[in-house]
Amino acid sequence: MTDTLTGLLRQETLIKHSRFIVQAGPVASAEAATAFVSAASQVGATHNCWAWRVGDALRSSDDGEPGGSAGRPILAAIDGAGLDRVAVVVTRWYGGVKLGVGGLVRAYGGCTASALRDAPRLPLRAMAELDIACGFDDLGRVHAALAAVAAEKASETFEATGVRLRVRLPADQACALKNQLRDATRDRVRCAAAPGPAQAWSGPTL
């Protein structure tokens, strides 16, 4: 299990007269990460360098700094903090003193790591969706089982022969729910994985 940020953060650092501002936040997708970068970038700044990770998808940019001196260190700081589904923009205003490639790596990576080190976190949990079919007589037992595993009811459809529900819950609770439904209804309830994406995640989104 990894973590994401609970919300937006901003931290400012002065390094050899250059002003660095780190802005970071949780993102749910590559599209949300791109939007975050666009919104956080400062017009008129010398550089707006950035990186983001959403699962296996990742991107970074040096925005005019020497290759590999900004975007990659920012991404390395995200990974080093054990975070996922996070975007970071580090804005620099040049202060008249050149830092060199090594100095830039330390500056961009260091100020990002510092900002993320004590940032409030929220655990990311894999989520699953299940389709449940039950008779009217078992509906109360089904609702009780859903409450026991903190499952969210996405839809509930009443038909002539019974009720169909789609629920969302932490993936590691799916087996427990199936077992509870089987035991509570003497295996009268049908429960199957809902069609669609194999996995989603719980956590904050922008």
Side-chain angles (χ1 to χ4, degrees):
M1 186 182 298
T2 57
D3 296 338
T4 190
L5 298 174
T6 60
L8 302 177
L9 67 86
R10 185 179 187 276
Q11 181 173 298
E12 184 171 338
T13 306
L14 193 64
I15 303 174
K16 292 187 177 180
H17 305 294
S18 281
R19 182 184 174 205
F20 291 83
I21 293 180
V22 179
Q23 296 181 81
V27 291
S29 64
E31 293 77 14
T34 300
F36 177 88
V37 169
S38 178
S41 296
Q42 302 288 313
V43 176
T46 314
H47 303 282
N48 288 287
C49 305
W50 52 266
W52 54 260
R53 175 180 288 283
V54 179
D56 293 332
L58 55 92
R59 286 194 63 189
S60 64
S61 171
D62 298 312
D63 191 36
E65 296 281 30
S69 67
R72 289 180 187 172
I74 295 169
L75 182 60
I78 294 172
D79 291 343
L83 293 169
D84 191 7
R85 301 169 75 83
V86 166
V88 176
V89 176
V90 182
T91 300
R92 180 191 181 194
W93 282 268
Y94 178 58
V97 178
K98 293 184 177 181
L99 301 180
V101 173
L104 290 171
V105 170
R106 289 188 294 273
Y108 281 101
C111 66
T112 303
S114 176
L116 297 179
R117 186 175 299 119
D118 299 320
R121 297 166 172 251
L122 181 72
L124 283 168
R125 300 187 72 182
M127 303 294 285
E129 286 194 345
L130 300 177
D131 284 335
I132 299 170
C134 69
F136 296 112
D137 291 344
D138 289 321
L139 186 57
R141 299 181 183 90
V142 169
H143 283 158
L146 297 181
V149 296
E152 303 171 2
K153 187 168 62 176
S155 65
E156 186 174 39
T157 304
F158 290 86
E159 301 175 345
T161 57
V163 184
R164 292 187 177 273
L165 303 95
R166 176 163 293 188
V167 300
R168 188 171 186 264
L169 74 165
D172 58 7
Q173 294 294 310
C175 286
L177 175 60
K178 291 177 182 179
N179 290 338
Q180 287 191 40
L181 291 173
R182 181 196 63 209
D183 295 343
T185 67
R186 296 183 182 179
D187 206 21
R188 289 189 297 270
V189 170
R190 303 274 72 83
C191 185
Q199 192 177 63
W201 296 87
S202 66
T205 58
L206 293 177

